[in-house]
């Protein structure tokens, strides 16, 4: 009589439960043959609070991910969705509703075994942006996610095979369909060592780099004391400037730029939307970084979102003074505008970038504009950008004015 599922689990020796025994990565695969889809995941219940990100998958996809650091944020959402959908085959050594031996029996002893996932497009992109969903699928279905894997053919010969994270995909009006090899399913299912990731992380932070940084935070020690003391930074995780530049695609950016444009905005977002943020200190070409439990720790004031915004204003004002020699009275006036309105600050910065692009077309360096000449050009660009807003119809002269001499 065939054993049922529970009997199978009970019959497995303790020595076989450890997922690190044997050549667990070897699968039966022949590149000349099509996928053999042996299981389908087509249910998506309500969004979970967290998903379990196995360290095996983290090491394969996220740890050294120079190739996909600039992928659309939808690519990260797809991975988190797959983690959620595949939770029915999770296994680990301590609490094994699904053991490694059973996983091998079902998913690794079948030639070209693969599994399929059906995902509602509205979960990948609430605004249903077809172009971005397809771009995300292209990245996950490209050599950017490919890894060399030791496989065997049906004759038992060992072969090195290159496997992409997504092997096959199709897109319809309401759903996305993906197929992945069971090699990747095992990386998702084995949660002997894992970190809990807030599912909404990929919906609340602005880009993929931010998510990658947040995931890296899960791998470093947390600050343990209930009251934060920055002078303890010497015991924090160290990462040198060059490594951080390379890891997050910021080659050529100095520490001032990284602090103000990368780390502080992420820090603020994570304090607002995540269960873990961080503190950092920069000294002698080295960053000292520590994770902070947002709910448990009483962090110092300058780590709050409000203080981060104030610091961004100080950085912006210093930048205008240094790069464009703006006079003191105008700088104070601009700082007041920034402090009073986030929207005005965003509009002015958008206009600044527009002006920069226009000058680049004319092969003119932005730094050639200084003083009132710069303010006049910036003002014209601000007015052009303001005319594209809804407020222009009601308040045609409601744009921020940067030139105090007018």
């Amino acid at each position: 009589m065939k054993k049922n599922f529970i009997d199978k689990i009970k019959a497995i020796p303790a020595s076989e439960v450890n997922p690190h025994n044997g050549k667990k990565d070897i699968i039966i695969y022949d590149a000349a043959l099509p996928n053999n889809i042996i299981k389908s995941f087509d249910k998506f219940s309500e969004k979970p609070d967290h998903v379990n990100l196995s360290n095996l998958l983290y090491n394969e996809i996220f740890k050294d991910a120079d190739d996909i650091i600039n992928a659309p944020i939808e690519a990260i959402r797809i991975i988190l969705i797959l983690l959620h959908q595949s939770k029915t085959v999770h296994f680990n050594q301590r609490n094994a509703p699904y053991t490694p031996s059973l996983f091998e029996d079902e998913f690794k002893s079948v030639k070209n075994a693969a599994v399929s996932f059906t995902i509602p497009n509205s979960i990948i992109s609430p605004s249903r942006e077809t172009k971005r969903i397809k771009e995300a699928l292209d990245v996950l279905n490209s050599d950017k996610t490919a890894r060399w894997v030791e496989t065997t053919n049906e004759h038992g010969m060992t072969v090195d095979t290159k496997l992409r994270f997504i092997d096959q995909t199709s897109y319809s009006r309401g759903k996305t369909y993906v197929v992945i090899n069971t090699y990747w399913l095992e990386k998702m299912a084995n949660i002997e060592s894992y970190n809990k990731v807030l599912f909404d992380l990929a919906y609340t932070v602005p880009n993929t780099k931010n998510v990658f940084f947040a995931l890296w935070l899960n791998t470093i020690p947390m600050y343990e004391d209930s009251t934060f003391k920055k002078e303890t930074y010497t015991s924090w995780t160290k990462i040198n400037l060059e490594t951080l530049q390379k890891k997050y695609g910021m080659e050529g950016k100095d520490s001032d730029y990284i602090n103000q444009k990368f780390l502080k905005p992420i820090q603020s977002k994570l304090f607002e939307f995540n269960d873990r943020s961080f503190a950092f200190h920069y000294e002698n070409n080295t960053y000292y970084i520590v994770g902070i439990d947002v709910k448990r720790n009483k962090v110092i004031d300058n780590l709050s979102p409000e203080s981060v915004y104030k610091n961004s204003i100080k950085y912006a004002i210093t930048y205008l003074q240094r790069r464009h020699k703006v006079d003191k009275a105008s700088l104070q006036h601009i700082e007041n505008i920034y402090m009073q309105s986030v929207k005005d600050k965003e509009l002015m910065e958008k206009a600044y970038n527009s002006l920069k692009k226009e000058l680049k077309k004319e092969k003119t360096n932005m730094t050639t504009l200084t003083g009132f000449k710069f303010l006049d050009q910036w003002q014209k660009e601000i007015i052009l950008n303001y005319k594209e807003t809804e407020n222009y119809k009601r308040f045609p002269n409601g744009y921020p004015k940067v030139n105090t001499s007018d």
Side-chain angles (χ1 to χ4, degrees), residues 234-282:
T234 52
S235 65
W236 300 354
T237 299
K238 292 194 292 186
I239 179 169
N240 67 47
L241 176 63
E242 291 75 18
T243 301
L244 192 142
Q245 287 170 328
K246 184 176 185 300
K247 191 176 181 70
Y248 296 100
M250 293 185 291
E251 285 87 346
K253 303 298 185 183
D254 60 18
S255 60
D256 193 29
Y257 177 94
I258 291 171
N259 294 348
Q260 298 297 333
K261 297 292 187 179
F262 181 67
L263 290 176
K264 287 188 176 180
I266 296 176
Q267 185 187 64
S268 177
K269 281 289 184 183
L270 295 182
F271 268 115
E272 189 175 359
F273 295 113
N274 198 30
D275 48 13
R276 178 182 292 209
S277 189
F278 66 100
F280 71 94
H281 177 82
Y282 179 75

Side-chain angles (χ1 to χ4, degrees), residues 360-399:
K360 190 174 182 180
K361 290 178 184 177
E362 299 170 8
K363 297 184 178 178
T364 302
N365 196 315
M366 190 72 168
T367 54
T368 60
L369 288 180
T370 59
F372 290 115
K373 182 180 177 183
F374 161 71
L375 292 175
D376 285 338
Q377 290 289 94
W378 191 20
Q379 186 69 73
K380 290 175 184 176
E381 207 62 46
I382 288 171
I383 294 171
L384 288 175
N385 279 267
Y386 182 73
K387 286 181 177 179
E388 297 174 0
T389 67
E390 289 295 320
N391 279 348
Y392 175 71
K393 297 174 184 177
R394 294 181 294 164
F395 310 105
N397 296 315
Y399 52 85

Side-chain angles (χ1 to χ4, degrees), residues 337-338 340-350 382 386 391 398-400:
I337 295 173
Y338 284 175
Q340 292 167 12
S341 174
V342 175
K343 286 189 176 181
D344 280 348
K345 181 175 183 290
E346 291 173 350
L347 174 71
M348 291 160 70
E349 290 178 340
K350 182 181 178 183
I382 288 171
Y386 182 73
N391 279 348
Y399 52 85

Side-chain angles (χ1 to χ4, degrees), residues 103-212:
F103 186 93
E104 289 168 9
D105 287 345
E106 184 170 356
F107 294 109
K108 295 177 72 175
S109 61
V110 178
K111 183 166 54 181
N112 285 34
V115 294
S116 68
F117 293 84
T118 303
I119 310 170
N121 291 334
S122 60
I123 304 297
I124 303 173
S125 172
S127 58
R128 294 175 175 80
E129 294 185 55
T130 299
K131 183 180 178 183
R132 289 184 62 85
I133 295 175
K134 287 184 176 179
E135 285 176 355
L137 292 169
D138 283 342
V139 171
L140 297 177
N141 186 221
S142 72
D143 281 345
K144 291 181 178 181
T145 64
R147 302 292 181 265
W148 283 103
V149 177
E150 190 176 272
T151 66
T152 61
N153 61 23
E154 59 186 326
H155 303 296
M157 295 175 59
T158 300
V159 181
D160 287 338
T161 303
K162 204 172 188 179
L163 295 178
R164 298 183 178 95
F165 182 68
I166 289 180
D167 191 58
Q168 179 184 332
T169 182
S170 59
Y171 178 92
S172 66
R173 187 172 182 180
K175 294 180 179 179
T176 289
Y177 173 85
V178 302
V179 174
I180 69 170
N181 190 280
T182 52
Y183 168 85
W184 293 105
L185 181 64
E186 183 182 31
K187 294 294 180 287
M188 293 191 286
N190 187 343
I191 57 169
E192 181 185 17
S193 177
Y194 69 96
N195 286 298
K196 281 191 172 183
V197 176
L198 201 67
F199 186 83
D200 275 343
L201 182 67
Y203 295 83
T204 51
V205 298
N207 59 54
T208 306
K209 288 181 181 179
N210 291 184
V211 176
F212 273 61

